[in-house]
Amino acid sequence: TLESACESDQHDIVLIPGGIAEMLCQQSDTTKVERLYIRKRRGFVRLAISQNRDLVPVFAFGENRTFTQLTWLRDLREYVSRRFRISLQLFHGRWCTLIPYRTPITVVVGRPVSVERVRRSLLESDGGRTVRVHVNRKQKITYSYGTSAPLDEDRLADAVHRAYVEELTRVFESNKSLHPGYEHTELV
């Protein structure tokens, strides 16, 4: 399972948090917008928090230009994809085959977002000095720092997620000029 892979120091996990929604979004060479479905995704952040793992933002410029997505029966494919949790893609590459178009792909890696650093920063902003960990029956963990109110999982998840999105945006904006055709592209 994903949790057991995270528990091992021998493995690093690669997740694509955009999921099926991101896979199904139609983008073409002429699009000046890169759509990421990440603003409401928190599961990967909660997994990182539970395993105390850093999150490393990665963006691949050009990967969505290797194939052309077809829009035939898009609503039906989207429904079936969500219902059965599989992605039904209709696409083609060069000469209407599965051979991808020749397009450069530039992969950029951001600075790791440390769950522990975000946790400490939240706790310090609350003004305490000592950390206490509380685990209730539902395995919900809260952290309290000194005399301040407990730091709950949702607040920590929001802060880690915000830091991740900020770093991903920074990586995109500072590197988009390296890939032809992305100079005026906006990340949404």
Side-chain angles (χ1 to χ4, degrees), residues 9 15 46 56 97 178:
D9 287 338
L15 297 175
R46 291 185 193 287
V56 182
T97 66
L178 300 176

Side-chain angles (χ1 to χ4, degrees), residues 62-88:
E63 65 88 20
N64 69 340
R65 297 176 182 179
T66 55
F67 291 99
T68 299
Q69 277 194 14
L70 304 175
T71 57
W72 302 336
L73 303 171
R74 181 182 172 145
D75 292 338
L76 176 64
R77 287 186 296 120
E78 195 168 332
Y79 170 76
V80 171
S81 293
R82 288 181 195 280
R83 176 79 168 99
F84 296 105
R85 304 189 81 159
I86 60 169
S87 179
L88 297 177

Side-chain angles (χ1 to χ4, degrees), residues 123-140:
L123 293 173
E124 287 170 5
S125 71
D126 287 346
R129 290 199 179 121
T130 58
V131 177
R132 287 186 299 278
V133 179
H134 309 279
V135 181
N136 66 16
R137 289 183 199 158
K138 295 180 183 177
Q139 294 300 314
K140 185 164 183 163

Side-chain angles (χ1 to χ4, degrees), residues 52-182:
N52 200 26
R53 294 287 197 128
D54 292 350
L55 291 172
V56 182
V58 177
F59 191 87
F61 291 94
E63 65 88 20
N64 69 340
R65 297 176 182 179
T66 55
F67 291 99
T68 299
Q69 277 194 14
L70 304 175
T71 57
W72 302 336
L73 303 171
R74 181 182 172 145
D75 292 338
L76 176 64
R77 287 186 296 120
E78 195 168 332
Y79 170 76
V80 171
S81 293
R82 288 181 195 280
R83 176 79 168 99
F84 296 105
R85 304 189 81 159
I86 60 169
S87 179
L88 297 177
Q89 295 292 332
L90 296 177
F91 61 92
H92 68 82
R94 288 187 280 171
W95 312 296
C96 289
T97 66
L98 297 179
I99 299 172
Y101 295 115
R102 289 179 178 258
T103 182
I105 297 176
T106 305
V107 178
V108 292
V109 179
R111 294 184 292 248
V113 174
S114 167
V115 169
E116 191 55 39
R117 193 174 326 130
V118 172
R119 179 181 289 129
R120 271 195 313 256
S121 126
L122 279 175
L123 293 173
E124 287 170 5
S125 71
D126 287 346
R129 290 199 179 121
T130 58
V131 177
R132 287 186 299 278
V133 179
H134 309 279
V135 181
N136 66 16
R137 289 183 199 158
K138 295 180 183 177
Q139 294 300 314
K140 185 164 183 163
I141 301 171
T142 57
Y143 300 88
S144 61
Y145 208 66
T147 58
S148 63
L151 175 60
D152 68 271
E153 283 183 46
D154 293 335
R155 184 170 169 220
L156 180 59
D158 288 343
V160 171
H161 185 268
R162 188 172 35 260
Y164 179 84
V165 170
E166 286 171 3
E167 179 61 14
L168 185 62
T169 303
R170 186 199 67 76
V171 165
F172 177 82
E173 292 298 329
S174 63
N175 291 286
K176 67 182 182 180
S177 62
L178 300 176
H179 191 75
Y182 278 86

